Amino acid sequence: DLTQTDLVLDSDAALSAIASFIDSTVRRLEDQGITGTLLQDEWAAIQHADQDERDFCLTAAAWGLDRYDMPGDAQHLLLDAEASIGSPALLADLSRAVPLTHLADSTRWLRDAIASLKPEPNTLPSVSPVDWSSATDAAPWQVGYERARELRSRLGLAPGRRAAVEDLLRVRETGSPAPGNVDALISADGSASLAVVVGDDTSPQAKRFVSARAIGRHSLSPIDGLSLLTRAGQYTERAERAFAAEFLAPAAGIAEVVDGDFSDPALDRAATHFQVSRTLVEHQVENQ
């Protein structure tokens, strides 16, 4: 059945295959004596573009725009944001969280967040990165749960013990709320350092969840540079959220605390015990 399928591809390999297909199409047109098509002109422009131009093409594409056919106001917005932030990858990340009309305000918050970053030595035990190509048959939450249990085990945390994320990762704040569907900015240098910045309206419980999710991103697939924690629903982001829930409030630990009593007071007691939201506890009970 070719109408439904799931497959995780290496991004570089996928881009290489697409480029090869386009190049073959252009050569075929030339062999047939056809020249001057839009495809040929744009492909020639792309092939002769320098690295800055290529980066801008990728940034524009992340926002659903064609670098070679985009409104002038949108081009100015992206150019200003790129100059202010200096990270095409971060702007591409932002495209999944806020509309283009909010780009200027979002860029200002990102600039403040970057200035607030103070990466500190990473104290997390090393774990092998997830092989995403072999995880396609597993639900994202299963991947997240398993990795959270592995890390808790390496940290010597019994199921009923609260995870002291504040000892693993320090959260810093900006002077304003984070934009749209952005929860935090993360900075990482491989396994050497890890830091996270949130908006000033983030609650203590939300800070713990953001911290756990940042740890999850690092544990599931170690990163370098800047990236955003957003509320988008990509496979890896769902795995991160499942990791955070199980790392902070393991299903087995909740079972110990409530001891068969799933009344509202019992669930509130579990939430207080693990210092998480009541909603997180309810999701853990329902899902596991």
Side-chain angles (χ1 to χ4, degrees), residues 232-282:
Q234 290 187 339
Y235 185 100
T236 53
E237 290 171 314
R238 285 181 286 167
E240 290 168 6
R241 285 190 279 269
F243 173 99
E246 183 68 8
F247 186 75
L248 293 175
I254 293 174
E256 288 182 7
V257 174
V258 300
D259 193 24
D261 176 9
F262 296 99
S263 64
D264 287 346
L267 296 181
D268 286 337
R269 187 170 68 251
T272 300
H273 175 79
F274 289 108
Q275 293 184 3
V276 296
S277 69
R278 162 75 179 271
T279 301
L280 188 152
V281 171
E282 290 175 343

Side-chain angles (χ1 to χ4, degrees), residues 29-30 33-42:
L29 290 172
E30 292 172 349
I34 301 174
T35 60
T37 66
L38 179 61
L39 175 64
Q40 289 168 302
D41 291 344
E42 288 198 1

Side-chain angles (χ1 to χ4, degrees), residues 51-60 75-89 91-92 103 107:
Q51 190 58 52
D52 288 342
E53 180 74 6
R54 289 169 182 259
D55 287 343
F56 188 70
C57 285
L58 292 174
T59 300
Q75 178 171 315
H76 290 311
L77 268 175
L78 288 180
L79 286 172
D80 289 346
E82 195 171 81
S84 177
I85 299 303
S87 172
L91 284 180
L103 179 57
T107 300

Side-chain angles (χ1 to χ4, degrees), residues 150-225:
E150 178 184 347
L151 185 57
R152 284 185 63 95
S153 176
R154 287 176 178 263
L155 291 169
L157 295 175
R161 184 177 170 189
R162 182 180 64 84
V165 291
E166 61 276 6
D167 295 337
L168 302 172
L169 180 64
R170 182 175 179 182
V171 179
R172 299 184 184 275
E173 293 183 10
T174 59
S176 60
N181 291 313
V182 174
D183 286 328
L185 172 70
I186 296 177
S187 174
D189 179 12
S191 60
S193 66
L194 185 63
V196 62
V197 177
V198 299
D200 67 348
D201 59 343
T202 309
S203 70
Q205 292 176 340
K207 286 180 183 178
R208 282 178 56 77
F209 190 80
V210 163
S211 297
R213 194 175 156 197
I215 292 170
R217 176 168 296 183
H218 177 77
S219 300
L220 290 162
S221 183
I223 56 176
D224 285 300

Side-chain angles (χ1 to χ4, degrees), residues 73-140:
D73 56 346
Q75 178 171 315
H76 290 311
L77 268 175
L78 288 180
L79 286 172
D80 289 346
E82 195 171 81
S84 177
I85 299 303
S87 172
L90 193 58
L91 284 180
D93 241 4
L94 188 62
S95 70
R96 297 181 295 110
V98 300
L100 188 63
T101 51
H102 294 175
L103 179 57
D105 291 338
S106 301
T107 300
R108 281 191 286 272
W109 183 84
L110 281 177
R111 190 169 58 243
D112 292 343
I114 292 171
S116 302
L117 280 170
K118 293 183 180 178
E120 299 175 359
N122 178 24
T123 59
L124 294 168
S126 60
V127 290
S128 58
V130 172
D131 179 3
W132 294 109
S133 63
S134 65
T136 54
D137 292 333

